Amino acid sequence: MSALPYFDDVLSPEVAVLPLPGVAKRLNVPLTRVQQLIRDGAIFAIRRNSVVSVPEIFLETEGRVLKGLPGLISVLRDGGYPDLEILQWLFAVDDTLPGAPVDALHGNRAKEVTRRAQAMAL
């Protein structure tokens, strides 16, 4: 089995994160499933205070991975963006949205975020 990919913490301290066991509990899946989601690139993990964690905003309240996030990541990867740049872009505040792309995925602006990612990937 391959090593679990994660990034050193490049996010604002205000970004809430959950350790992997907390993600597994929230999604109601085994820890190995969370690890596979990370390996597959459906979600990203960071290491904060020596603990590998996932930004809580990557999860919906219904216990699912944020709708549209895995596809958005795939679009940007296919466009040649490295994972670290994708992670940083997701949390970069954009006054034209307004807010960060990851925030917009939770609201009625998800299609606009996807459109922008597709345009970036061209």
Side-chain angles (χ1 to χ4, degrees):
M1 189 173 284
S2 62
L4 190 66
Y6 63 84
F7 299 101
D8 288 328
D9 193 359
V10 295
L11 303 177
S12 166
E14 288 82 35
V15 174
V17 296
L18 284 173
L20 300 189
V23 175
K25 183 176 180 180
R26 176 100 168 256
L27 296 177
N28 197 28
V29 297
L31 179 61
T32 54
R33 176 67 182 131
V34 173
Q35 293 167 334
Q36 193 61 50
L37 287 168
I38 295 167
R39 281 189 194 93
D40 291 345
I43 57 176
F44 294 124
I46 62 166
R47 186 178 62 188
R48 180 175 282 175
N49 301 323
S50 301
V51 177
V52 177
S53 303
V54 170
E56 191 171 4
I57 198 165
F58 285 175
L59 308 175
E60 292 188 3
T61 55
E62 296 82 26
R64 296 184 306 229
V65 171
L66 179 59
K67 183 179 177 184
L69 181 62
L72 184 67
I73 291 170
S74 290
V75 165
L76 291 169
R77 275 186 173 154
D78 290 348
Y81 286 87
D83 287 350
L84 181 58
E85 284 184 30
I86 296 169
L87 177 64
Q88 291 171 321
W89 178 78
L90 284 168
F91 286 91
V93 174
D94 183 339
D95 292 334
T96 64
L97 278 174
V102 73
D103 296 322
L105 288 175
H106 280 276
N108 58 0
R109 297 165 297 173
K111 286 184 181 180
E112 175 62 16
V113 172
T114 303
R115 186 197 62 74
R116 290 179 188 206
Q118 289 168 336
M120 288 171 50
L122 293 178

